[in-house]
Amino acid sequence: MRVVQSSIALLLAALLAALLPGCAGTGPAATATGVAPVPDSAPLDPVSSPQWAADMARFAAEDAAQPPPAHPVVFTGSSSVRMWATLAEDFPGVPVLNRGFGGSQLRDATWYADEVAVRYAPQRIVLYAGDNDIDAKRSPEQVRDDFRTFVARVRRDLPGVPIAWLAIKPSPARIAQLPAQQRANALVKAEAARMRAVDFIDVATPMLDADGRPRAELFGNDQLHMNARGYALWRGVVAPYLR
């Protein structure tokens, strides 16, 4: 009888030991590579504007008129992507596809992830967003959470595709928002470091002068959107990630 009781005790101890790791905390468990999976995402707010439906229709018409390259590097996000007119010239030999829609926020890229990225079966996604979010009084924490949700949405259909986030750029027109932009960048950078195949590309720091202010010579007349010098700077920072 003692032998049987001892065996049962050992079996219960083994079962308890197996269950404990899953109950040890509320954070995400590490993968075999030591990198945490994408955390559970928060509920996504509605799109910021109904006008994006017209942009999606325009993308569909462009695809019908001229089929996009197979497995492209998709650049998407707000006007800093949409206005990158030299994208193909800046990355020769890379099958790039511009699917930026100006004025959009990060959550819009998530709502329209299929139209701007997933359906192209991209080899990589490069996202610029957050600039308009901060301007619309969304908090850095909301930007971080919306970034997490974007990654989770893409991973649902494209579990292995690399994703890169272009840091929110500093601009003279929005210099009052610089502290919030920098906090959002720091939060997203920390979040990206926990995820598999997600890069944080710091295009923001080189756009600051020695005093930590946005370099006016990188911008057009509105001091919000970049000029050719601004895009040349971005090209130099982004190129190594596309090799």
Side-chain angles (χ1 to χ4, degrees):
M1 179 65 71
R2 288 182 179 178
V3 173
V4 173
Q5 290 175 334
S6 177
S7 298
I8 293 174
L10 289 172
L11 178 59
L12 290 173
L15 289 172
L16 183 59
L19 289 171
L20 279 176
C23 304
T26 57
T31 64
T33 61
V35 179
V38 178
D40 293 336
S41 55
L44 185 64
D45 288 337
V47 294
S48 66
S49 171
Q51 75 183 64
W52 312 136
D55 288 270
M56 300 309 122
R58 173 171 58 83
F59 293 151
E62 290 175 2
D63 291 345
Q66 182 174 353
H71 307 298
V73 174
V74 170
F75 283 72
T76 190
S78 58
S79 57
S80 292
V81 169
R82 180 182 62 82
M83 298 173 68
W84 199 338
T86 59
L87 195 62
E89 301 168 27
D90 288 342
F91 305 108
V94 178
V96 297
L97 180 65
N98 190 322
R99 283 296 172 260
F101 49 120
S104 62
Q105 297 181 24
L106 181 47
R107 54 190 159 138
D108 302 320
T110 304
W111 276 110
Y112 291 108
D114 186 68
E115 287 84 351
V116 301
V118 172
R119 68 178 173 183
Y120 299 109
Q123 59 178 273
R124 184 179 300 272
I125 297 170
V126 181
L127 171 68
Y128 179 79
D131 200 337
N132 295 323
D133 306 57
I134 297 296
D135 188 57
K137 309 303 182 187
R138 291 179 73 79
S139 71
E141 289 74 19
Q142 285 177 303
V143 172
R144 186 252 342 261
D145 292 346
D146 287 349
F147 171 71
R148 180 187 295 166
T149 304
F150 175 82
V151 174
R153 168 62 188 88
V154 170
R155 290 281 185 263
R156 190 182 78 193
D157 293 321
L158 303 171
V161 67
I163 299 170
W165 162 276
L166 299 178
I168 301 171
K169 72 181 190 299
S171 62
R174 293 179 175 174
I175 191 169
Q177 300 170 18
L178 185 57
Q181 293 173 344
Q182 292 178 327
R183 174 160 174 75
N185 281 336
L187 290 172
V188 171
K189 182 178 181 179
E191 196 69 23
R194 304 172 59 212
M195 297 175 174
R196 176 181 52 83
V198 177
D199 288 311
F200 175 90
I201 303 180
D202 186 8
V203 294
T205 300
M207 300 182 74
L208 298 172
D209 63 19
D211 296 322
R213 298 175 64 85
R215 295 167 53 190
E217 73 272 15
L218 301 176
F219 295 87
N221 292 333
D222 65 1
Q223 291 291 280
L224 174 62
H225 297 100
M226 293 184 297
N227 58 23
R229 293 183 66 178
Y231 283 111
L233 185 153
W234 275 29
R235 179 190 64 214
V237 177
V238 174
Y241 291 88
L242 304 187
R243 291 172 184 160

